Amino acid sequence: MTAESPHPVGDAILRRQRVRESAARTYARSFPIVPVRASGMTVEGADGRRYLDCLSGAGTLALGHNHPVVLAAIRRTLDSGAPLHLLDLATAEKDDFTTALLESLPAAFAADARVHFCGPAGTDAVEAALKLMQIATGRRGALAFTGAYHGMTAGALAVTGNVAVKEPLPSGGEVTRLPYPYSYRCPFGVGGEAGEKLAAVYTERLLDDPAGGVVPPAAMIVEVVQGEGGAVPAPDAWLRELRRITTERGIPLIVDEVQTGVGRTGAMWAVEHSGIVPDAMVLSKAIGGSLPLAVVAYRAEYDGWRPGAHTGTFRGNTLAMAAGAATLRHVAENGLAARAEQVGQWLLTELTALQGRLPVIGDVRGRGLMLGVELVDPAGQADAIGSYPPDPALAVRVREACLARGLIVELGGRHDAVLRLLPPLTITDEQAQAVLTRLAEAIEAAAGARP
C-alpha cells in the first residue's frame, strides 16, 4: 500500500477494466468501485467501504444480494448432480419453475397461458414477443410509447424511445410512437388527469384515422411503470383504456414486466394494479433469482410458433430456474409485495416532504419500490404547467455525493436527471431511513455546490 494508491488491488482492477473493456461501459463509469462481498442491501468494496445498494442489479435482486433462500436453492441443485445445461429439454427444475411462475401470475391470465423460454436477457424476450405477435397476426409494425425502454437488440431497440442509442443505427422496424402519460412533463402541456385522457383519446383517434398513416400493427407494447424512462407510473385508468382500445381493434397487448415484476411495484405483477389482462407478458430480471433468465408468457391462442422459431443456447439454465422458483415463492409467501408498497409509500411521503424544502427537486413519483426523484434548475424558465428545466449536471453531482456517503443510486429519465431508487424488497425500516438521510444530504450538498 502506497501513499499514491491506498487501495492498490481495487485500483489495479479498475485500471485494467478501463483498458480491456469496451467504451459501452455504463455502471462501471458511474460507480468506480470493486465490490468484493455483498449481502442483502449491503455491498462491500475492495477498499473496505460499505454501500447501501439502491440499484439492485437494475431491479434484478428482488431479495437483495446472496439471499439465503436463493443460495440454498443453488447449492441444493448443485449437490443434486442435476445437469446445468440442457437447451430446452424437460427437467424437474424447469417444471418446478414453470409451476411457480404460473402460480404467481394473475389468475385470469395464467389460466390460459403458455410459457416460452428465451435467451437469458429481457431484450431477447421482447424480441420473442414481437415475433410471436407478427406470426399470430400476419402483420408488421408495432405501437410503442415515448420514454419506453425495452432493450438493445434490433426489435427491442426499435420500440425503445431513447433517441441517443437509436440515432447511430439504421431503422429497426416500423414503429408508431404514442404519448405516454408523464404528468410533470406532459406531452400535451396540461398534466394530471387531463393529460392522461388526452393520451388515450389521441391513441384511439390515430388508430381509427384512415389518413393517420398507421397500418394495423402486430402488437402494442407498454411498461406499467417506465424504468429507464424515469420511474414514471402509468395511470390505472389509462391502462384500462389501452386494453379497451387494443381489444376492440384486435391488437395484441404486450406488457413489459422485466423491471416491474416480482413484487417491485407493490403487487406481484404491475398489471394487477389496473386489473387488465394482457395478451403477453415479458418477464426477466428478478424471475431468475439474480441469475440470467427470461421468458414470455402469453395467451394460448397466440401459440403459433413452429419448432425452432425462436431459440437460444442458454434458454434452459437450471440454476437460474431453481433460484427463480425459490425467489417467486419467497416473495409470495412472505408478503414482500405488500412490504414494497408499505416502504415505498413511506419513502414517497418523505421524499415529497423533502421536495417542499429543496426546490431542485421538481417531481417525486413511482410505485412500490420503484421510485424517481427528478432534479431541476429552479432558476430556469418554467413551462406552461410550471415544470422547470431538467438539471442532468446536478444529477451527476448528486450521484457522486451519494456514493461518497455510501449510497448507490443510478440516474435515468429523459435527460438523465432522475435519481432512481430500486432497493431490494427486503429493505429494513432502518435501511430505508438511512437511504433517505444520505440522499437528502447528497442533494443538499450537490445543490449547494452548483457551479
Side-chain angles (χ1 to χ4, degrees):
M1 189 174 292
T2 66
E4 292 81 17
S5 181
H7 310 294
V9 174
D11 290 348
I13 290 172
L14 290 172
R15 279 197 302 272
R16 286 195 292 272
Q17 182 185 44
R18 287 193 293 270
V19 172
R20 294 171 174 175
E21 294 188 24
S22 82
R25 299 186 317 280
T26 53
Y27 300 114
R29 296 178 186 274
S30 304
F31 310 108
I33 60 177
V34 178
V36 293
R37 277 174 293 276
S39 177
M41 194 177 173
T42 304
V43 173
E44 183 179 335
D47 58 1
R49 292 197 64 200
R50 292 175 178 268
Y51 303 86
L52 287 177
D53 184 4
C54 270
L55 179 58
S56 299
T60 299
L61 304 171
L63 303 182
H65 295 273
N66 294 322
H67 192 279
V69 165
V70 172
L71 296 183
I74 293 172
R75 290 192 182 103
R76 188 165 56 248
T77 305
L78 290 172
D79 292 344
S80 74
L84 300 183
H85 184 273
L86 281 170
L87 299 169
D88 67 354
L89 297 182
T91 66
E93 291 78 16
K94 179 191 279 190
D95 181 65
D96 186 54
F97 171 81
T98 306
T99 298
L101 179 63
L102 290 172
E103 288 174 348
S104 78
L105 291 171
F109 178 74
D112 184 41
R114 296 290 184 274
V115 177
H116 177 78
F117 289 88
C118 309
T123 188
D124 189 67
V126 170
E127 297 282 349
L130 293 172
K131 285 170 61 176
L132 176 68
M133 295 312 177
Q134 288 173 342
I135 291 168
T137 63
R139 305 177 200 149
R140 299 169 55 191
L143 304 173
F145 291 88
T146 53
Y149 179 82
H150 298 290
M152 287 292 188
T153 51
L157 190 59
V159 293
T160 289
N162 190 321
V163 173
V165 294
K166 293 154 64 79
E167 200 168 28
L169 302 171
S171 173
E174 186 178 323
V175 176
T176 298
R177 193 71 52 183
L178 299 168
Y180 191 95
Y182 176 8
S183 194
Y184 189 69
R185 302 198 184 280
C186 176
F188 301 102
V190 294
E193 189 176 337
E196 164 196 336
K197 289 180 178 178
L198 282 173
V201 170
Y202 176 88
T203 296
E204 187 165 24
R205 296 284 175 86
L206 180 65
L207 294 177
D208 290 345
D209 186 348
V214 181
V215 175
M220 173 188 283
I221 184 166
V222 66
E223 299 160 276
V224 177
V225 181
Q226 290 191 337
E228 304 302 319
V232 183
D236 291 337
W238 177 75
L239 286 169
R240 288 191 284 269
E241 277 295 280
L242 287 190
R243 177 70 283 192
R244 178 189 64 78
I245 291 166
T246 52
T247 299
E248 290 177 357
R249 289 155 185 80
I251 301 171
L253 178 62
I254 303 167
V255 173
D256 183 338
E257 290 256 16
V258 168
Q259 195 165 105
T260 54
V262 195
R264 170 63 53 191
T265 68
M268 193 65 175
W269 305 100
V271 291
E272 295 179 89
H273 294 294
S274 64
I276 67 168
V277 180
D279 296 299
M281 293 172 64
V282 178
L283 316 173
S284 188
K285 291 192 185 291
I287 66 165
S290 77
L291 298 179
L293 187 60
V295 305
V296 181
Y298 52 90
R299 290 170 53 197
E301 68 178 88
Y302 295 104
D303 196 22
W305 294 118
R306 292 180 180 178
H310 193 89
T311 63
T313 301
F314 294 102
R315 65 192 185 279
N317 188 305
T318 305
L319 289 180
M321 290 175 184
T327 297
L328 288 166
R329 291 192 173 110
H330 188 79
V331 170
E333 292 166 2
N334 291 273
L336 293 186
R339 171 67 179 167
E341 172 65 24
Q342 175 193 12
V343 180
Q345 188 55 56
W346 181 82
L347 281 169
L348 199 61
T349 300
E350 295 297 315
L351 289 168
T352 302
L354 186 64
Q355 178 186 9
R357 62 184 182 85
L358 293 179
V360 295
I361 299 178
D363 192 34
V364 175
R365 55 180 179 262
R367 202 152 201 177
L369 287 174
M370 193 170 178
L371 302 172
V373 177
E374 183 158 354
L375 299 178
V376 300
D377 178 5
Q381 179 66 47
D383 65 15
I385 56 174
S387 301
Y388 288 98
D391 195 337
L394 172 61
V396 170
R397 296 199 303 274
V398 171
R399 180 178 63 193
E400 292 171 351
C402 283
L403 195 65
R405 289 163 174 76
L407 179 63
I408 297 173
V409 174
E410 185 53 305
L411 309 180
R414 308 299 204 274
H415 305 276
D416 280 333
V418 179
L419 306 171
R420 298 181 58 216
L421 302 180
L422 293 164
L425 313 188
T426 53
I427 185 173
T428 66
D429 291 346
E430 293 75 18
Q431 287 171 331
Q433 181 62 65
V435 167
L436 181 68
T437 300
R438 295 178 195 186
L439 183 62
E441 290 176 356
I443 296 173
E444 288 181 297
R450 185 185 296 275

